Amino acid sequence: MAFFKNNKSGERQSISSRLHPHSMRYGADNHSIETDDSSSVGETIELDLDSQLISRKKKSKWDSFTDCICVDWREALSRCCDGLWKKCRKQVEYHPRTINVGKLPVYHQEMQSAVYPPNVIRNQKYSIISFVPKVLFEQFKYFLNLYFLIMSCSQFVPEVRIGQLYTYWAPLGFVIAVTMLRELLDDIRRYRRDREVNSQSYKKLTSRGETFVPSSDIHVGDIIIVEKNQRVPADMVFLRTSEKSGSCFIRTDQLDGETDWKLKLAVATTQRLPADLALFDISAQIYAEKPQKDIHNFIGTFTMMDDSEERLSLNLDNSIWANSIIASGTALGVVIYTGSETRSVMNTSQPPTKAGLVDLEINFLTKILFLGVLALSLVMMAIKGFGGPWYRYLMRFILIFSYIIPISLRVNLDMGKAAYSLMMMSDKEIEGTVVRSTTIPEELGRIEYLLSDKTGTLTQNEMIFKKLHLGSVSYTAETMDEVVAHLRTPYLSDSIPQQMSHQRIRRTAVTKVHEAVKAIALCHNVTPVFEVEGDFDTMTYQASSPDEVALVKWTESVGLTLIHRDLTSMTLRTPVTGATVKYGILQTFPFTSETKRMGIIVKDSNGVITFYMKGADVVMSSIVQYNDWLDEETDNMAREGLRTLVVAKKQLTEDQYRDFEARYSQAKLSTEDRSTKIRAVVESLERDLELLCLTGVEDKLQENVRPTLELLRNAGIKIWMLTGDKLETAICIGKSSKLVSKTQEVFVFKQVYTRMDVHAELNAFRRKNDSALVIRGDTLEVCLSFYEDEFVELACHSPTVIVCRCSPTQKADIVHLIKKHTKKKICAIGDGGNDVSMIQAADTGVGIVGKEGKQASLAADFSINQFSYIGKLVIVHGRNSYKRSAALSQFVMHRGLIITTMQAVFCSIFYLASVELFPGFLMIGYGTVFTMFPVFSLVLDKDVTSTVALTYPELYKELTKGRSLSLKTFFIWVLISLYQGGIIMYGALLLFDQDFIHIVSITFTAVLLTELLMVALTIRTWHWLMIIAEIISLASYIVTLVIFKDFFDPKFLQTWNFIWKTVVITGISCIPLYIIKFLQRKFSPATHAKLVGL
């Protein structure tokens, strides 16, 4: 049965997974769905009032009983917890609000703070009360720490106590104390940042003038003045600005990650007031929708409560969200949402916690070790006999063998990961790299799939105008001087009479070029911004899209320059004479991802009203008048890798515009389904537009994209490109970036609608061996609905997959799909806000700081400045991190295994007595100062240099098999530990039979020397810090021997007999392993040794 989840009730429902979509029909009551599936004859599925699918098939009592018994216990527990949580915590309900402005009374301050949340930012994870419980819970949810907690607590029982309490509690307390200190410092830093933001001072406008208030004392209904370059403290409706145009720019990179400035418009009624204080002389109300997450929409109204009862609609252009920065002028607004109801806070969520595969593997190995402790203890008890208080002896055996699971394992791994992250960030060749998730650096060494965005990731997102097509003629960079000449012609006073001999042909070409360039220069949302730099004023263009800026810059290069724009007009400077032409802006319709087009209605000095529109070919082809060239030329430009826009126009009469304006104004005032109503009105204009031109803009490839993709492909990583662009552009970028090789065949999955269509295309693709797959997003959905398993299997065998017309949600779904079917590790890389869901869904997310902002970079696990950096990040740092983590973790476990082996031998020799071999302080020293530095120095080890790793990327393929940390390597280390522990103990018995009273000194010295030699044996590339670590460890042990004379006999330790026998025992435990390693290097060298001739 396939299970579905109801969004309303949250309960699981079931329906036959074999039910065909066309085999359902509604019953007579419109509440049931009858099926034609033969496997469910006589059964209908009823939709009850709670939208739950309930089977009407009659069940026996036994069936009901077995259903109850077989219910998933986790689901039952989840429901129980959800129910308790809902009862304990009341769900927050949001409501729309009406805010009074001016003479109308506002809520009393105390009442407001009870109705609306305080304007306080709180990013702290803990409070004074919750700090200790939360930190302890986070620590002891791991098996390793929980195990040691239980072992430590057992020491309070006198019958099972082994040695001193500090033997167990000191290491555990140290680990917990370090963790709590780290969390405390992090939370203190968060508290200080919050306090700094909450105490920031702002100007509050009152009827008595301006006063300063901290951000935390701002309430709904307050009128706040925000200066240039100041952070907006709360969500506001924009009332007034110091800019004469009635608009100002804001920066929203901290809100949505986009670096382009946004234009905000003040409410026209309040902007016309003579002064700020005049706001208190009017009577007005602002209606605001209930708080919600959507930062790209806002519905509200502004109503004057005087005799005029003027009512204006408010939208996103009239709102300024908290955490935005005022980029120009001064903004004055009335607060509508505060604190937890602001858009920025509602969109703030903790990213999903990602656990590395190495962590999961180590957690599994520690459970095996625990089972080994239990088995060893039971064997001891079986030999000893289960007479008397056997359970007490069993517990003591478990306790003395508990060192087999070292508590320092997680500490060493966490410190190692921090070291790997620091190495990545300090690498000068990938400068600017930031590691935001220090828990998974070794995951970069296990990547098998790389899912990449196109625009801004593989390309630079720097647009350059390349081609203009008018239907009958095409202009490129080589022929752009003809466009300049044609554009100058209408502005030459004496040129037209001279062209009369070529009247028909010449005038037609001139008119087409002039109309096309004028349309491009007018149809946009670009605003020229002048900034003073020294003695000169420099003009830059600000827009929400780099495509827009590229088009306006091109019109400037050919002679028609945008020099001014405000809310109601824009001014162009014409070629030849430099005269200015002013156009009135009547309406603008901004670009959205749903409409894929933008429009503007302008009025020239002659009173002619023109509706201009530009957009993607897929939507514009049905809007413009019939033509026979648009589709063909769009495909041609896409094959060249150009981003295309279709430009069209339509002239309107005064009556037509007045009728449209009335309907449009009425739709904008609606508070319910406003966007739908507005869209319907605008679409009434979008019919039979005159096609003017087709533009082609190039998005240049990122630096070193081709060699980086080749490097990753040679490393065995399969690369998928997921883009929202059209199919032809995606194919062209795929070929130009060498994602698809020249000799490789491209299989384009045709548009499919039915199961038969999908089946036929899958069979066709199956016959195309080694072909790159290109598929549209909508086609992909159809394929997955019918043949998910078959499609994913074929796609994963393809060398390259390109998914075009792909939405952000589909990108994340593809990540989950590959995870589900292949169980492979996936890395996702992107640069825009539309890539965040994909980045967070992947095992490893990489964000690029690009033209689209920092949203992807901030949400990713790793942040880089350009795509080519991922090569070294994965091939070099990923390799080193994984290899080092594997070696470090196994060596720490070996350190515990060898001690446990010695303890087991000691117990078996002394009549199975559950007595500790070493005193507690030595065991603590063994896990810390005596062996910590040499073992941790393994984080500096590397099997190959970065040059070799990049020269032979094929070496990376071995890492994905997980052979560096596996059951095989684990059991090899177990055998080594058993051998060395046994040799040390039995060697001590044989060589020191007369001095067995000094068993502690003999065996501990031998095991310490063995550990230091084993570290040296494991190291593949020596570092000077490794040598220092070995010297420090040996020196610290010698100092201990001198200080603790009560535990060690100095005279015995200085005898030649002790020295040579200890050296012999240590040599026998290590030399055979050195010989085996030498023979292995000689006769069965590693792959990298074969390649580089080591």
Side-chain angles (χ1 to χ4, degrees):
M1 303 290 279
F3 290 95
F4 299 89
K5 191 163 185 175
N6 187 301
N7 293 331
K8 181 178 178 182
S9 63
E11 297 185 4
R12 295 171 75 179
Q13 308 144 6
S14 63
I15 187 171
S16 172
S17 60
R18 293 185 297 171
L19 188 62
H20 193 278
H22 300 294
S23 65
M24 296 192 297
R25 61 179 182 272
Y26 285 100
D29 56 357
N30 288 330
H31 289 288
S32 63
I33 304 172
E34 300 179 1
T35 71
D36 293 335
D37 196 302
S38 60
S39 63
S40 55
V41 174
E43 178 179 346
T44 59
I45 297 171
E46 182 182 28
L47 190 65
D48 72 353
L49 295 177
D50 291 328
S51 299
Q52 296 175 310
L53 290 173
I54 305 173
S55 176
R56 285 186 181 175
K57 189 172 182 179
K58 204 167 183 180
K59 292 184 178 181
S60 66
K61 292 182 179 180
W62 174 251
D63 290 338
S64 301
F65 175 75
T66 53
D67 286 349
C68 291
I69 295 299
C70 297
V71 140
D72 189 347
W73 67 270
R74 285 172 293 184
E75 181 188 355
L77 182 62
S78 175
R79 290 183 183 178
C80 180
C81 293
D82 289 344
L84 289 173
W85 178 253
K86 288 178 181 177
K87 287 185 178 181
C88 294
R89 180 174 180 175
K90 190 176 180 180
Q91 190 71 23
V92 178
E93 293 185 5
Y94 298 111
H95 302 283
R97 59 201 60 188
T98 300
I99 299 156
N100 296 334
V101 179
K103 295 179 181 179
L104 296 178
V106 297
Y107 291 120
H108 194 262
Q109 188 166 338
E110 285 78 7
M111 185 184 297
Q112 281 202 353
S113 50
V115 175
Y116 303 120
N119 193 49
V120 175
I121 292 176
R122 190 180 187 279
N123 292 310
Q124 291 173 258
K125 289 175 63 178
Y126 312 102
S127 65
I128 296 176
I129 298 174
S130 67
F131 176 71
V132 174
K134 277 190 174 181
V135 172
L136 292 179
F137 173 76
E138 288 296 321
Q139 286 303 302
F140 293 122
K141 70 181 182 181
Y142 293 107
F143 173 79
L144 191 64
N145 290 346
L146 181 61
Y147 168 75
F148 264 94
L149 176 65
I150 296 172
M151 295 296 103
S152 301
C153 289
S154 69
Q155 294 303 286
F156 289 111
V157 181
E159 289 79 4
V160 296
R161 180 181 296 176
I162 303 292
Q164 302 297 322
L165 286 175
Y166 69 81
T167 305
Y168 288 87
W169 282 102
L172 181 63
F174 174 76
V175 171
I176 300 302
V178 169
T179 303
M180 294 183 76
L181 181 62
R182 183 188 63 196
E183 292 294 325
L184 180 63
L185 292 176
D186 288 344
D187 221 39
I188 288 174
R189 281 194 288 267
R190 284 189 285 266
Y191 167 74
R192 288 176 177 172
R193 287 197 297 267
D194 292 346
R195 185 178 62 181
E196 182 181 349
V197 173
N198 293 329
S199 61
Q200 189 173 353
S201 183
Y202 289 89
K203 288 181 182 178
K204 177 181 174 181
L205 187 67
T206 66
S207 57
R208 294 182 297 274
E210 296 177 359
T211 181
F212 286 92
V213 295
S215 175
S216 57
D217 286 346
I218 292 175
H219 303 278
V220 172
D222 289 349
I223 298 176
I224 304 299
I225 300 173
V226 188
E227 305 289 347
K228 183 180 179 181
N229 293 326
Q230 195 174 22
R231 183 187 70 89
V232 178
D235 290 353
M236 306 191 306
V237 167
F238 187 20
L239 298 180
R240 289 177 58 80
T241 177
S242 59
E243 300 288 307
K244 294 180 180 179
S245 61
S247 63
C248 76
F249 283 101
I250 66 169
R251 299 197 303 269
T252 61
D253 54 313
Q254 297 302 316
L255 184 64
D256 58 12
E258 296 181 2
T259 55
D260 297 306
W261 291 8
K262 308 291 192 306
L263 185 69
K264 294 295 178 179
L265 313 178
V267 177
T269 303
T270 53
Q271 179 66 25
R272 288 194 297 264
L273 296 175
D276 293 344
L277 285 174
L279 285 168
F280 296 93
D281 297 330
I282 65 172
S283 298
Q285 281 188 340
I286 293 176
Y287 166 83
E289 64 179 347
K290 67 180 181 180
Q292 57 178 323
K293 289 185 176 183
D294 190 359
I295 63 174
H296 301 295
N297 285 295
F298 173 66
I299 294 176
T301 58
F302 180 90
T303 307
M304 293 293 294
M305 306 304 291
D306 52 15
D307 296 335
S308 66
E309 292 189 358
E310 181 184 6
R311 192 162 177 247
L312 302 175
S313 70
L314 302 177
N315 55 32
L316 183 64
D317 293 336
N318 310 116
S319 62
I320 304 178
W321 303 139
N323 280 343
S324 303
I325 305 294
I326 303 300
S328 65
T330 299
L332 184 148
V334 58
V335 176
I336 55 174
Y337 308 120
T338 55
S340 59
E341 293 182 345
T342 59
R343 294 293 206 267
S344 62
V345 174
M346 294 182 75
N347 279 279
T348 301
S349 60
Q350 293 295 329
T353 303
K354 297 180 180 180
L357 185 57
V358 169
D359 291 328
L360 299 177
E361 290 169 344
I362 290 173
N363 195 50
F364 174 70
L365 294 179
T366 55
K367 292 176 182 178
I368 293 178
L369 291 174
F370 174 67
L371 294 176
V373 170
L374 286 179
L376 182 59
S377 302
L378 289 171
V379 169
M380 289 292 183
M381 283 306 305
I383 299 173
K384 185 181 181 71
F386 286 92
W390 62 269
Y391 53 86
R392 187 195 310 171
Y393 299 133
L394 177 63
M395 188 64 191
R396 288 176 64 87
F397 277 126
I398 292 174
L399 285 168
I400 63 176
F401 296 149
S402 63
Y403 287 104
I404 198 172
I405 306 176
I407 193 172
S408 59
L409 177 58
R410 185 161 293 280
V411 177
N412 278 276
L413 282 175
D414 290 345
M415 291 172 61
K417 292 176 180 181
Y420 311 148
S421 302
L422 187 62
M423 292 174 191
M424 293 178 190
M425 291 189 286
S426 59
D427 191 336
K428 298 297 182 183
E429 294 184 12
I430 51 174
E431 197 169 3
T433 299
V434 178
V435 180
R436 304 192 189 280
S437 178
T438 58
T439 59
I440 55 171
E442 70 278 352
E443 290 299 285
L444 290 170
R446 310 287 290 274
I447 302 301
E448 295 190 54
Y449 284 88
L450 176 67
L451 273 55
S452 174
D453 178 40
K454 181 183 74 67
T455 306
T457 303
L458 297 178
T459 60
Q460 295 183 17
N461 205 13
E462 287 186 5
M463 309 302 172
I464 300 175
F465 192 94
K466 284 291 185 180
K467 183 176 284 190
L468 177 72
H469 204 291
L470 303 179
S472 58
V473 62
S474 175
Y475 297 98
T476 61
E478 292 76 17
T479 57
M480 211 58 74
D481 55 337
E482 295 182 27
V483 176
V484 175
H486 290 329
L487 187 61
R488 291 170 60 90
T489 302
Y491 299 100
L492 293 172
S493 57
D494 57 345
S495 62
I496 295 178
Q498 296 174 6
Q499 304 295 334
M500 291 301 292
S501 57
H502 309 287
Q503 164 177 350
R504 181 80 183 163
I505 299 174
R506 188 63 175 169
R507 188 169 65 243
T508 301
V510 169
T511 303
K512 283 186 175 182
V513 169
H514 178 252
E515 285 296 328
V517 176
K518 185 173 72 171
I520 296 172
L522 291 173
C523 186
H524 53 73
N525 63 357
V526 180
T527 302
V529 177
F530 293 89
E531 296 181 357
V532 178
E533 293 184 2
D535 298 331
F536 302 96
D537 288 349
T538 58
M539 185 181 73
T540 58
Y541 292 118
Q542 290 294 339
S544 59
S545 169
D547 297 73
E548 298 262 73
V549 175
L551 293 173
V552 174
K553 281 184 176 180
W554 175 77
T555 62
E556 179 185 4
S557 69
V558 296
L560 199 58
T561 307
L562 174 69
I563 59 173
H564 174 76
R565 178 174 183 155
D566 55 29
L567 297 180
T568 59
S569 66
M570 71 173 76
T571 305
L572 303 179
R573 184 170 56 234
T574 62
V576 184
T577 62
T580 59
V581 181
K582 188 172 183 180
Y583 293 86
I585 301 175
L586 303 182
Q587 301 288 348
T588 56
F589 315 110
F591 177 90
T592 66
S593 57
E594 290 80 20
T595 61
K596 293 184 173 59
R597 56 190 181 273
M598 69 86 57
I600 188 171
I601 301 177
V602 298
K603 187 175 184 179
D604 64 15
S605 56
N606 297 323
V608 178
I609 300 174
T610 309
F611 171 44
Y612 290 105
M613 174 167 279
K614 72 168 182 276
D617 61 288
V618 290
V619 294
M620 294 294 290
S621 58
S622 60
I623 293 175
V624 298
Q625 296 171 352
Y626 172 78
N627 62 88
D628 58 357
W629 62 271
L630 179 59
D631 292 339
E632 181 181 353
E633 294 303 328
T634 301
D635 291 345
N636 290 337
M637 285 193 186
R639 291 187 191 98
E640 298 174 26
L642 302 180
R643 295 160 63 95
T644 57
L645 282 174
V646 180
V647 184
K649 76 168 186 176
K650 181 180 186 179
Q651 286 196 351
L652 305 176
T653 63
E654 286 284 351
D655 292 338
Q656 285 177 324
Y657 177 71
R658 278 196 295 268
D659 174 64
F660 167 80
E661 185 182 29
R663 291 184 291 115
Y664 189 64
S665 300
Q666 186 67 28
K668 287 199 297 181
L669 291 173
S670 175
T671 57
E672 294 183 1
D673 297 327
R674 176 187 289 183
S675 58
T676 304
K677 294 176 181 178
I678 289 176
R679 188 70 252 149
V681 175
V682 174
E683 285 177 354
S684 66
L685 278 184
E686 299 172 346
R687 297 170 184 165
D688 294 328
L689 270 68
E690 178 187 351
L691 177 59
L692 296 178
C693 64
L694 177 66
T695 63
V697 177
E698 181 189 31
D699 191 0
K700 295 194 295 184
L701 286 177
Q702 287 259 12
E703 186 179 354
N704 294 325
V705 162
R706 295 187 184 96
T708 303
L709 289 175
E710 184 179 1
L711 177 77
L712 296 173
R713 192 183 296 108
N714 290 337
I717 299 174
K718 291 189 175 181
I719 304 169
W720 291 27
M721 185 173 76
L722 314 180
T723 177
D725 262 349
K726 59 181 69 66
L727 184 141
E728 291 78 10
T729 305
I731 294 175
C732 183
I733 294 297
K735 289 182 176 179
S736 62
S737 64
K738 300 296 177 67
L739 183 61
V740 179
S741 64
K742 291 182 179 179
T743 58
Q744 200 170 55
E745 188 177 351
V746 176
F747 180 85
V748 179
F749 211 96
K750 295 179 182 177
Q751 199 81 20
V752 292
Y753 303 97
T754 66
R755 182 187 294 269
M756 294 298 294
D757 294 342
V758 177
H759 189 270
E761 280 300 292
L762 286 175
N763 284 336
F765 180 48
R766 188 177 284 108
R767 291 190 291 269
K768 299 288 186 179
N769 295 324
D770 199 35
S771 296
L773 173 64
V774 181
I775 188 170
R776 299 175 182 84
D778 54 352
T779 304
L780 176 64
E781 285 191 359
V782 177
C783 290
L784 296 178
S785 64
F786 293 116
Y787 295 103
E788 179 179 307
D789 295 342
E790 291 81 355
F791 175 80
V792 175
E793 181 184 359
L794 287 173
C796 290
H797 281 92
S798 176
T800 301
V801 177
I802 298 175
V803 184
C804 57
R805 298 299 190 192
C806 189
S807 68
T809 305
Q810 285 178 324
K811 291 182 179 182
D813 291 341
I814 292 171
V815 172
H816 293 303
L817 198 68
I818 299 175
K819 275 187 182 181
K820 172 185 173 184
H821 289 272
T822 66
K823 311 299 182 186
K824 306 295 187 182
K825 289 298 174 181
I826 301 170
C827 176
I829 181 170
D831 74 313
N834 60 333
D835 302 316
V836 169
S837 56
M838 172 180 71
I839 286 171
Q840 292 186 340
D843 298 294
T844 305
V846 180
I848 298 177
V849 181
K851 299 291 182 181
E852 293 186 26
K854 298 180 179 179
Q855 194 171 2
S857 167
L858 295 173
D861 304 306
F862 304 89
S863 171
I864 57 179
N865 287 337
Q866 61 186 55
F867 180 82
S868 61
Y869 287 0
I870 197 174
K872 188 171 185 182
L873 191 68
V874 170
I875 304 299
V876 177
H877 290 288
R879 176 187 187 84
N880 290 338
S881 299
Y882 171 59
K883 286 277 191 179
R884 289 164 176 169
S885 287
L888 180 62
S889 59
Q890 292 180 121
F891 207 93
V892 172
M893 285 187 282
H894 163 262
R895 193 170 61 185
L897 278 164
I898 192 172
I899 285 289
T900 303
T901 303
M902 294 170 63
Q903 180 69 61
V905 174
F906 178 77
C907 291
S908 63
I909 292 172
F910 284 91
Y911 308 101
L912 301 173
S914 53
V915 180
E916 278 191 314
L917 171 60
F918 301 117
F921 80 95
L922 279 183
M923 293 305 299
I924 295 175
Y926 176 74
T928 54
V929 293
F930 298 152
T931 59
M932 180 180 67
F933 297 111
V935 172
F936 187 71
S937 69
L938 291 173
V939 301
L940 300 172
D941 190 25
K942 53 185 176 182
D943 59 344
V944 296
T945 63
S946 58
T947 304
V948 171
L950 293 172
T951 305
Y952 303 100
E954 294 80 8
L955 294 172
Y956 187 86
K957 295 178 182 179
E958 292 184 349
L959 305 181
T960 59
K961 299 174 183 176
R963 291 175 178 173
S964 297
L965 180 62
S966 62
L967 285 174
K968 178 183 177 181
T969 58
F970 169 72
F971 284 115
I972 288 174
W973 277 103
V974 170
L975 292 175
I976 291 172
S977 303
L978 293 174
Y979 166 75
Q980 291 181 327
I983 287 294
I984 292 172
M985 282 304 300
Y986 285 113
L989 287 174
L990 293 173
L991 296 179
F992 293 92
D993 55 337
Q994 301 298 324
D995 301 302
F996 202 70
I997 192 173
H998 301 297
I999 185 67
V1000 173
S1001 305
I1002 299 165
T1003 54
F1004 194 82
T1005 303
V1007 74
L1008 181 61
L1009 293 175
T1010 298
E1011 284 299 305
L1012 297 181
L1013 289 173
M1014 285 300 295
V1015 171
L1017 175 65
T1018 306
I1019 291 173
R1020 289 157 293 196
T1021 304
W1022 281 89
H1023 191 279
W1024 62 270
L1025 286 174
M1026 296 174 175
I1027 300 173
I1028 292 177
E1030 296 263 347
I1031 295 172
I1032 290 175
S1033 294
L1034 190 58
S1036 62
Y1037 178 59
I1038 294 172
V1039 171
T1040 303
L1041 294 178
V1042 174
I1043 295 174
F1044 292 93
K1045 295 181 179 180
D1046 295 338
F1047 294 91
F1048 303 101
D1049 184 358
K1051 293 182 180 179
F1052 174 73
L1053 296 178
Q1054 293 173 11
T1055 62
W1056 175 248
N1057 195 43
F1058 166 77
I1059 295 173
W1060 79 263
K1061 289 183 179 180
T1062 304
V1063 170
V1064 168
I1065 293 173
T1066 306
I1068 294 174
S1069 69
C1070 293
I1071 290 175
L1073 299 178
Y1074 271 85
I1075 294 173
I1076 293 172
K1077 185 174 182 179
F1078 172 78
L1079 293 175
Q1080 185 180 15
R1081 287 182 175 178
K1082 184 73 174 176
F1083 298 104
S1084 181
T1087 306
H1088 67 269
K1090 296 177 183 177
L1091 287 173
V1092 299
L1094 296 178

